[in-house]
Amino acid sequence: MPLNREQIAQRIAQEVQDGYTVNLGIGIPTLVANYIPSTMSVMLQSENGLLGMGPFPTEKEVDPDLINAGKQTVTTMKGASFFSSADSFAMIRGGHVDLTVLGAMEVDEGGSIANWMVPGKMIKGMGGAMDLVAGARNVIVAMQHTDKDGNSKLRKSCTLPLTGVSCIKKIVSDYGVIDVTPNGFVLREYAPDLTPEKVLAATEGKMTVAPDVKPMKF
């Protein structure tokens, strides 16, 4: 069985280091916050002008004026700060975000990402994704390995409108942990109920298996 959304988030949380400033995209990435150890000092940043997001509020804690960039109500941690979206994007574009976690519709073997639109479908806009892939020091993608019809979303070349070119270095999908290198995808870890061969078979883009490949641990 492939991983579920929570397991993908749990594995990505292992990439977060103490002292990091982290931006989490909508969807699976928002779940990463649930698995960051409380012993770590990590500041979560939102494009709409918040640094120091806390956990999602209980029903009694909900403040409709306190939201993240995905319009979800949030709480704040001690030391949190509020500022304009212009300052927030200056922070992103200036390279002050250590790690960004984004969802994706497609990532190709060259590290390009498409995550903002499907032609013909109504969208709200790109949001901060283009700035995040260009300005963050590290970008990890959280995604499903295949679509509902079983087609690979790790492509030889993206077919959807691009968000960024050659900017992704690591993917955590429901099939495993994959590095993006100059020679294409490299499988580093695979879902415990799968095999490297099954991951290769589900990948359209060029993929090699690392010599020290191993099952994922949580």
Side-chain angles (χ1 to χ4, degrees):
M1 291 288 291
L3 304 180
N4 59 40
R5 291 162 55 90
E6 296 286 345
Q7 289 172 312
I8 294 173
Q10 188 176 358
R11 176 57 185 84
I12 291 175
Q14 297 176 22
E15 302 292 321
V16 178
Q17 297 182 25
D18 197 26
Y20 264 18
T21 296
V22 180
N23 183 289
L24 301 176
I26 61 175
I28 297 174
T30 62
L31 302 175
V32 174
N34 298 334
Y35 298 100
I36 297 174
S38 58
T39 54
M40 282 189 180
S41 176
V42 175
M43 296 296 277
L44 300 180
Q45 190 256 12
S46 180
E47 298 100 294
N48 59 325
L50 170 58
L51 179 64
M53 282 189 294
F56 287 115
T58 63
E59 188 173 342
K60 291 183 179 180
E61 293 175 323
V62 170
D63 179 348
D65 292 324
L66 188 57
I67 59 173
N68 62 18
K71 307 298 188 294
Q72 297 168 306
T73 54
V74 295
T75 61
T76 55
M77 298 174 61
K78 184 177 181 180
S81 59
F82 301 91
F83 35 86
S84 73
S85 58
D87 289 330
S88 183
F89 276 89
M91 182 179 181
I92 293 167
R93 294 167 183 168
H96 303 292
V97 174
D98 298 294
L99 173 65
T100 287
V101 184
L102 294 173
M105 300 167 189
E106 295 178 338
V107 176
D108 68 28
E109 63 185 45
S112 297
I113 178 175
N115 82 336
W116 72 283
M117 75 168 294
V118 174
K121 292 190 176 182
M122 184 175 292
I123 59 169
K124 295 180 180 179
M126 182 174 285
M130 183 178 287
D131 296 272
L132 287 162
V133 297
R137 297 177 185 177
N138 187 19
V139 182
I140 296 177
V141 170
M143 66 185 296
Q144 304 294 325
H145 206 94
T146 61
D147 64 20
K148 62 182 180 180
D149 297 318
N151 300 308
S152 178
K153 297 169 70 172
L154 274 67
R155 308 297 299 268
K156 184 175 181 62
S157 181
C158 289
T159 62
L160 297 172
L162 294 180
T163 307
V165 176
S166 300
C167 53
I168 306 303
K169 298 294 187 290
K170 188 183 292 289
I171 301 163
V172 180
S173 79
D174 54 339
Y175 279 45
V177 179
I178 301 107
D179 285 343
V180 184
T181 76
N183 295 316
F185 300 122
V186 176
L187 180 64
R188 296 291 181 186
E189 303 174 24
Y190 54 92
D193 292 335
L194 300 180
T195 64
E197 291 73 23
K198 288 183 178 179
V199 181
L200 287 172
T203 306
E204 177 193 286
K206 178 183 177 183
M207 175 179 279
T208 55
V209 178
D212 58 347
V213 69
K214 59 187 178 182
M216 297 170 71
K217 292 184 178 181
F218 301 97

